[in-house]
């Protein structure tokens, strides 16, 4: 997302400290205060992209509640700092949510924004709660518009490899290190894999469009972001076999989190359907780019071995 926004956007002087709850609140408050100073000097409209969060399906509810509390604290501080400005500036907030998390128990196929969210995990319920936190905050701020992006399975070079998520990254690392790929869902499990750079391009374009459609604020959009093409886990294995020109060893197992993983997720957005002209990376190309990136890290001695557990 940062690469897509470019170098001209405002950034905090110091990184947000996510590892310590007390330091986190202080660093958020400092960052928002600096942002307010920037706005006072520029006098222009503003946009915020909230893509924070390290939770996945299976993350304990307490850790997910802490992520929701961080978002709530950030919005409270943002509202307070905006209130000290002498002029009301039009603003936008993007919130990254999870299509798979919020629609995991929904039975409609394909899933569109009209489908009723039915999460079956603490992760999905936390994402819905975060969406409501943003909507509630924006309700009394008519100069603010919001875009909630419900994202399908993201993948791409540079994914956090210490996070128990990202089957594609996991498969690639296993191939590079010559170890079996451990998988805890059936091979016919269907997912929509969205290349991260494509998602960033479409989200930034969506925020620009939101600003045009609601130039004075007050616009509120929920949109599903997916590739529009689904594949099975077995299909991923076949593509990696094509890339590596060798057999991919697979070990199937059981995991309690499997009950929170639906067998099939198929998404079709009904919002801004004319965005189809934007970048779309084919799965073969995307997997190839992930594999080349990881292999370059491996050659440089900077790729950690895959964990023994499969990602979710």
């Amino acid at each position: 997302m940062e690469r897509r926004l470019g170098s001209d956007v405002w950034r905090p002087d110091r990184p947000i400290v996510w590892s310590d709850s007390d330091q986190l609140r202080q660093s958020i408050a400092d960052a928002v205060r600096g942002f307010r100073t920037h706005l006072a000097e520029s006098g222009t409209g503003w946009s915020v992209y909230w893509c924070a969060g390290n939770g996945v399906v299976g993350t304990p509810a307490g850790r997910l509640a802490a992520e929701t509390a961080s978002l709530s604290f950030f919005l409270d501080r943002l509202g307070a700092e905006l209130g000290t400005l002498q002029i009301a500036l039009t603003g936008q907030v993007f919130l990254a949510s999870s299509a798979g998390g919020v629609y995991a128990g929904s039975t409609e196929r394909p899933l569109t924004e009209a489908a009723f969210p039915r999460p079956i995990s603490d992760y999905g319920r936390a994402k819905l709660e975060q969406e409501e936190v943003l909507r509630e905050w924006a309700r009394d701020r008519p100069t603010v518009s919001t875009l909630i992006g419900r994202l399908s399975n993201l993948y791409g070079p540079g994914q956090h490899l210490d996070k128990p998520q990202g089957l594609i990254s996991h498969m690639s690392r296993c191939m590079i290190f010559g170890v079996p790929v451990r998988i805890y869902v059936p091979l016919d499990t269907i997912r929509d894999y969205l290349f991260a750079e494509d998602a960033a391009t479409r989200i930034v374009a969506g925020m620009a469009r939101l600003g045009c459609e609601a130039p004075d604020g007050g616009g509120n959009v929920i949109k599903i972001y997916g590739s529009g093409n689904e594949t099975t886990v077995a299909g991923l294995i076949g593509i990696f076999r094509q890339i590596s020109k060798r057999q991919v060893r697979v070990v199937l197992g059981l995991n309690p989190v499997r009950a929170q993983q639906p067998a099939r997720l198929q998404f079709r957005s009904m919002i801004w359907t004319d965005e189809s002209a934007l970048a779309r990376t084919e799965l073969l190309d995307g997997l190839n780019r992930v594999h080349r990136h990881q292999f370059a890290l491996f050659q440089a001695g900077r790729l950690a071995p895959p964990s023994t557990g499969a990602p979710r």
Side-chain angles (χ1 to χ4, degrees):
M1 182 65 74
E2 287 192 24
R3 289 196 300 270
R4 189 59 58 200
L5 288 171
S7 59
D8 294 336
V9 297
W10 182 88
R11 289 176 173 82
D13 293 333
R14 292 185 295 275
I16 303 296
V17 180
W18 299 100
S19 57
D20 180 271
S21 58
D22 294 331
Q23 291 187 59
L24 172 59
R25 289 193 162 223
Q26 186 59 55
S27 61
I28 288 176
D30 291 343
V32 174
R33 194 176 303 114
F35 186 51
R36 184 262 178 211
T37 300
H38 167 74
L39 293 179
E41 294 172 351
S42 65
T44 60
W46 55 271
S47 297
V48 166
Y49 293 77
W50 185 269
C51 305
N54 201 39
V56 297
V57 174
T59 296
R63 280 179 50 195
L64 294 166
E67 292 185 1
T68 303
S70 297
L71 171 62
S72 182
F73 178 77
F74 165 75
L75 291 173
D76 286 345
R77 296 311 311 153
L78 179 62
E81 293 293 345
L82 291 174
T84 66
L85 293 172
Q86 296 183 352
I87 55 174
L89 300 176
T90 301
Q92 301 171 304
V93 180
F94 170 77
L95 174 65
S97 187
S98 167
V102 305
Y103 293 119
S106 304
T107 56
E108 298 91 334
R109 293 294 182 273
L111 289 156
T112 71
E113 290 86 358
F116 187 79
R118 291 184 176 88
I120 58 176
S121 65
D122 289 331
Y123 173 69
R125 286 184 282 272
K127 288 300 179 183
L128 276 183
E129 184 178 354
Q130 290 165 20
E131 292 181 11
E132 182 55 32
V133 165
L134 176 58
R135 280 194 294 269
E136 183 65 28
W137 180 84
R139 195 163 289 137
D140 297 326
R141 293 176 169 84
T143 61
V144 175
S145 297
T146 63
L147 173 59
I148 294 172
R150 291 175 174 169
L151 304 167
S152 65
N153 289 52
L154 289 177
Y155 76 99
Q159 189 167 17
H160 286 295
L161 298 179
D162 57 349
K163 183 178 179 181
Q165 186 182 43
L167 181 57
I168 288 173
S169 292
H170 177 68
M171 283 186 175
S172 178
R173 269 199 298 175
C174 287
M175 287 171 52
I176 290 170
F177 280 92
V179 299
V181 181
R182 295 183 178 274
I183 297 175
Y184 296 129
V185 295
L187 294 182
D188 60 357
T189 299
I190 295 175
R191 291 292 183 269
D192 180 306
Y193 294 97
L194 175 62
F195 197 62
E197 289 184 18
D198 293 352
T201 297
R202 294 165 61 188
I203 289 166
V204 172
M207 289 285 273
R209 184 166 185 164
L210 183 65
C212 293
E213 294 182 356
D216 298 320
N220 299 284
V221 173
I222 296 176
K223 177 172 171 58
I224 293 172
Y225 287 95
S227 71
N229 296 305
E230 302 81 32
T231 191
T232 62
V233 174
L236 291 180
I237 294 171
I239 295 174
F240 271 119
R241 185 184 302 121
Q242 180 180 350
I243 291 171
S244 64
K245 303 294 191 296
R246 57 189 174 89
Q247 200 69 20
V248 179
R249 292 183 293 159
V250 176
V251 175
L252 297 177
L254 296 176
N255 190 296
V257 177
R258 178 173 173 172
Q260 301 174 39
Q261 297 280 10
R264 179 183 181 188
L265 289 173
Q266 180 184 16
F267 303 113
R268 294 291 183 273
S269 177
M270 305 303 292
I271 305 298
W272 299 334
T273 56
D274 57 344
E275 68 165 5
S276 57
L278 295 174
R280 304 280 174 146
T281 301
E282 295 298 327
L283 192 58
L284 174 59
D285 180 35
L287 266 61
N288 226 329
R289 291 167 68 177
V290 169
H291 193 60
R292 290 199 306 268
H293 173 76
Q294 290 194 352
F295 192 71
L297 293 177
F298 174 75
Q299 289 180 313
R302 293 165 42 217
L303 184 67
S307 61
T308 56
R312 300 188 271 276

CSV table of all heavy atoms in Angstrom, one decimal, residues 244-270:
chain,number,residue,atom,x,y,z
A,244,SER,N,8.2,-25.0,-10.8
A,244,SER,CA,9.5,-25.7,-10.3
A,244,SER,C,9.9,-26.8,-11.2
A,244,SER,O,11.1,-27.3,-11.1
A,244,SER,CB,9.3,-26.2,-8.9
A,244,SER,OG,8.3,-27.2,-8.8
A,245,LYS,N,9.0,-27.3,-12.1
A,245,LYS,CA,9.3,-28.4,-12.9
A,245,LYS,C,9.7,-29.7,-12.1
A,245,LYS,O,10.4,-30.5,-12.6
A,245,LYS,CB,10.5,-28.1,-13.9
A,245,LYS,CG,10.2,-26.9,-14.8
A,245,LYS,CD,9.1,-27.1,-15.7
A,245,LYS,CE,9.0,-26.0,-16.8
A,245,LYS,NZ,8.7,-24.7,-16.3
A,246,ARG,N,9.1,-29.8,-10.9
A,246,ARG,CA,9.3,-31.0,-10.1
A,246,ARG,C,8.1,-31.2,-9.2
A,246,ARG,O,7.2,-30.4,-9.1
A,246,ARG,CB,10.6,-30.9,-9.3
A,246,ARG,CG,10.6,-29.7,-8.4
A,246,ARG,CD,12.0,-29.6,-7.7
A,246,ARG,NE,12.2,-28.5,-6.9
A,246,ARG,CZ,12.0,-28.4,-5.6
A,246,ARG,NH1,11.5,-29.4,-5.0
A,246,ARG,NH2,12.2,-27.3,-5.0
A,247,GLN,N,8.0,-32.4,-8.6
A,247,GLN,CA,6.9,-32.8,-7.8
A,247,GLN,C,6.9,-32.0,-6.5
A,247,GLN,O,8.0,-31.7,-5.9
A,247,GLN,CB,7.0,-34.3,-7.5
A,247,GLN,CG,5.7,-34.9,-7.0
A,247,GLN,CD,4.7,-35.0,-8.1
A,247,GLN,OE1,5.0,-35.0,-9.3
A,247,GLN,NE2,3.4,-35.1,-7.8
A,248,VAL,N,5.7,-31.6,-6.1
A,248,VAL,CA,5.5,-30.9,-4.8
A,248,VAL,C,5.0,-31.9,-3.8
A,248,VAL,O,4.0,-32.5,-3.9
A,248,VAL,CB,4.5,-29.8,-4.9
A,248,VAL,CG1,4.4,-29.1,-3.6
A,248,VAL,CG2,5.0,-28.8,-6.0
A,249,ARG,N,5.8,-32.2,-2.7
A,249,ARG,CA,5.4,-33.1,-1.7
A,249,ARG,C,4.5,-32.5,-0.7
A,249,ARG,O,4.7,-31.4,-0.3
A,249,ARG,CB,6.7,-33.6,-0.9
A,249,ARG,CG,7.6,-34.5,-1.8
A,249,ARG,CD,8.7,-35.0,-0.9
A,249,ARG,NE,9.6,-34.0,-0.5
A,249,ARG,CZ,10.5,-34.0,0.5
A,249,ARG,NH1,10.5,-35.2,1.2
A,249,ARG,NH2,11.3,-33.0,0.8
A,250,VAL,N,3.4,-33.2,-0.4
A,250,VAL,CA,2.3,-32.7,0.5
A,250,VAL,C,2.0,-33.7,1.6
A,250,VAL,O,2.0,-34.9,1.4
A,250,VAL,CB,1.0,-32.4,-0.4
A,250,VAL,CG1,-0.1,-32.0,0.6
A,250,VAL,CG2,1.3,-31.4,-1.4
A,251,VAL,N,1.9,-33.1,2.8
A,251,VAL,CA,1.5,-33.9,4.0
A,251,VAL,C,0.1,-33.3,4.5
A,251,VAL,O,0.1,-32.1,4.8
A,251,VAL,CB,2.5,-33.9,5.1
A,251,VAL,CG1,2.0,-34.6,6.3
A,251,VAL,CG2,3.8,-34.5,4.6
A,252,LEU,N,-0.9,-34.1,4.5
A,252,LEU,CA,-2.2,-33.7,4.9
A,252,LEU,C,-2.4,-34.0,6.4
A,252,LEU,O,-1.9,-35.1,6.9
A,252,LEU,CB,-3.3,-34.3,4.1
A,252,LEU,CG,-3.4,-34.0,2.6
A,252,LEU,CD1,-4.5,-34.8,2.0
A,252,LEU,CD2,-3.6,-32.5,2.4
A,253,GLY,N,-3.0,-33.1,7.2
A,253,GLY,CA,-3.1,-33.3,8.6
A,253,GLY,C,-4.4,-32.7,9.1
A,253,GLY,O,-5.2,-32.2,8.3
A,254,LEU,N,-4.6,-32.7,10.4
A,254,LEU,CA,-5.8,-32.2,11.0
A,254,LEU,C,-5.4,-31.1,12.0
A,254,LEU,O,-4.3,-31.1,12.6
A,254,LEU,CB,-6.6,-33.3,11.8
A,254,LEU,CG,-7.1,-34.4,11.0
A,254,LEU,CD1,-7.8,-35.5,11.9
A,254,LEU,CD2,-8.2,-33.9,10.0
A,255,ASN,N,-6.3,-30.1,12.1
A,255,ASN,CA,-6.1,-29.0,13.0
A,255,ASN,C,-7.4,-28.5,13.4
A,255,ASN,O,-8.4,-28.4,12.6
A,255,ASN,CB,-5.3,-27.8,12.2
A,255,ASN,CG,-4.8,-26.7,13.2
A,255,ASN,OD1,-5.7,-26.0,13.8
A,255,ASN,ND2,-3.5,-26.6,13.3
A,256,PRO,N,-7.6,-28.1,14.7
A,256,PRO,CA,-8.9,-27.6,15.2
A,256,PRO,C,-9.4,-26.4,14.5
A,256,PRO,O,-10.6,-26.2,14.4
A,256,PRO,CB,-8.6,-27.3,16.7
A,256,PRO,CG,-7.4,-28.1,17.1
A,256,PRO,CD,-6.6,-28.2,15.8
A,257,VAL,N,-8.5,-25.6,13.9
A,257,VAL,CA,-8.9,-24.4,13.2
A,257,VAL,C,-9.7,-24.8,11.9
A,257,VAL,O,-10.4,-23.9,11.4
A,257,VAL,CB,-7.7,-23.5,12.9
A,257,VAL,CG1,-8.1,-22.3,12.1
A,257,VAL,CG2,-7.1,-23.1,14.2
A,258,ARG,N,-9.5,-26.0,11.5
A,258,ARG,CA,-10.1,-26.4,10.2
A,258,ARG,C,-11.6,-26.2,10.2
A,258,ARG,O,-12.2,-25.9,9.2
A,258,ARG,CB,-9.8,-27.9,10.0
A,258,ARG,CG,-10.4,-28.5,8.7
A,258,ARG,CD,-9.9,-29.9,8.5
A,258,ARG,NE,-10.6,-30.6,7.4
A,258,ARG,CZ,-10.3,-31.7,6.9
A,258,ARG,NH1,-9.2,-32.3,7.4
A,258,ARG,NH2,-10.9,-32.3,5.9
A,259,ALA,N,-12.2,-26.3,11.4
A,259,ALA,CA,-13.7,-26.1,11.5
A,259,ALA,C,-14.1,-24.7,11.3
A,259,ALA,O,-15.3,-24.4,11.0
A,259,ALA,CB,-14.2,-26.6,12.9
A,260,GLN,N,-13.2,-23.8,11.3
A,260,GLN,CA,-13.5,-22.4,11.1
A,260,GLN,C,-13.1,-22.0,9.7
A,260,GLN,O,-13.2,-20.8,9.3
A,260,GLN,CB,-12.7,-21.5,12.1
A,260,GLN,CG,-13.0,-21.8,13.5
A,260,GLN,CD,-12.1,-21.0,14.5
A,260,GLN,OE1,-11.8,-19.9,14.3
A,260,GLN,NE2,-11.7,-21.7,15.6
A,261,GLN,N,-12.8,-22.9,8.8
A,261,GLN,CA,-12.4,-22.7,7.4
A,261,GLN,C,-13.5,-23.2,6.5
A,261,GLN,O,-13.7,-24.5,6.4
A,261,GLN,CB,-11.1,-23.3,7.1
A,261,GLN,CG,-9.9,-22.8,7.9
A,261,GLN,CD,-9.4,-21.5,7.3
A,261,GLN,OE1,-10.0,-20.9,6.5
A,261,GLN,NE2,-8.2,-21.0,7.8
A,262,PRO,N,-14.3,-22.4,5.8
A,262,PRO,CA,-15.3,-22.9,4.9
A,262,PRO,C,-14.7,-23.6,3.7
A,262,PRO,O,-13.5,-23.3,3.4
A,262,PRO,CB,-16.0,-21.6,4.5
A,262,PRO,CG,-15.0,-20.5,4.7
A,262,PRO,CD,-14.2,-20.9,5.9
A,263,ALA,N,-15.4,-24.5,3.2
A,263,ALA,CA,-14.9,-25.3,2.0
A,263,ALA,C,-14.7,-24.5,0.8
A,263,ALA,O,-13.9,-24.8,0.0
A,263,ALA,CB,-15.8,-26.5,1.8
A,264,ARG,N,-15.6,-23.5,0.6
A,264,ARG,CA,-15.6,-22.8,-0.7
A,264,ARG,C,-15.9,-21.3,-0.4
A,264,ARG,O,-16.9,-21.0,0.3
A,264,ARG,CB,-16.6,-23.4,-1.6
A,264,ARG,CG,-16.7,-22.7,-3.0
A,264,ARG,CD,-17.8,-23.3,-3.8
A,264,ARG,NE,-17.9,-22.7,-5.1
A,264,ARG,CZ,-18.9,-22.9,-6.0
A,264,ARG,NH1,-19.8,-23.8,-5.7
A,264,ARG,NH2,-18.9,-22.3,-7.1
A,265,LEU,N,-15.1,-20.4,-1.0
A,265,LEU,CA,-15.4,-19.0,-0.9
A,265,LEU,C,-15.3,-18.4,-2.4
A,265,LEU,O,-14.3,-18.6,-3.0
A,265,LEU,CB,-14.4,-18.3,0.0
A,265,LEU,CG,-14.6,-18.5,1.5
A,265,LEU,CD1,-13.4,-17.9,2.3
A,265,LEU,CD2,-15.9,-18.0,2.0
A,266,GLN,N,-16.4,-17.8,-2.8
A,266,GLN,CA,-16.4,-17.3,-4.2
A,266,GLN,C,-17.0,-15.9,-4.1
A,266,GLN,O,-18.2,-15.7,-3.6
A,266,GLN,CB,-17.3,-18.2,-5.1
A,266,GLN,CG,-17.4,-17.7,-6.5
A,266,GLN,CD,-18.3,-18.6,-7.3
A,266,GLN,OE1,-19.1,-19.3,-6.8
A,266,GLN,NE2,-18.3,-18.4,-8.6
A,267,PHE,N,-16.3,-14.9,-4.5
A,267,PHE,CA,-16.7,-13.5,-4.3
A,267,PHE,C,-16.9,-12.8,-5.7
A,267,PHE,O,-16.2,-13.0,-6.6
A,267,PHE,CB,-15.6,-12.7,-3.6
A,267,PHE,CG,-15.3,-13.3,-2.2
A,267,PHE,CD1,-14.1,-13.8,-2.0
A,267,PHE,CD2,-16.2,-13.3,-1.2
A,267,PHE,CE1,-13.8,-14.4,-0.7
A,267,PHE,CE2,-16.0,-13.8,0.0
A,267,PHE,CZ,-14.7,-14.3,0.3
A,268,ARG,N,-18.0,-11.9,-5.7
A,268,ARG,CA,-18.2,-11.1,-6.9
A,268,ARG,C,-18.7,-9.7,-6.3
A,268,ARG,O,-19.8,-9.7,-5.8
A,268,ARG,CB,-19.3,-11.7,-7.8
A,268,ARG,CG,-18.9,-13.0,-8.5
A,268,ARG,CD,-17.8,-12.7,-9.5
A,268,ARG,NE,-17.5,-14.0,-10.2
A,268,ARG,CZ,-16.6,-14.9,-9.8
A,268,ARG,NH1,-15.9,-14.7,-8.7
A,268,ARG,NH2,-16.4,-16.0,-10.5
A,269,SER,N,-17.9,-8.7,-6.5
A,269,SER,CA,-18.3,-7.4,-6.0
A,269,SER,C,-19.4,-6.8,-7.0
A,269,SER,O,-19.2,-6.9,-8.2
A,269,SER,CB,-17.1,-6.4,-5.9
A,269,SER,OG,-17.5,-5.2,-5.5
A,270,MET,N,-20.4,-6.2,-6.4
A,270,MET,CA,-21.4,-5.4,-7.1
A,270,MET,C,-21.2,-3.9,-7.0
A,270,MET,O,-22.0,-3.2,-7.5
A,270,MET,CB,-22.8,-5.8,-6.6
A,270,MET,CG,-23.1,-7.3,-6.6
A,270,MET,SD,-22.9,-8.1,-8.3
A,270,MET,CE,-24.3,-7.3,-9.1
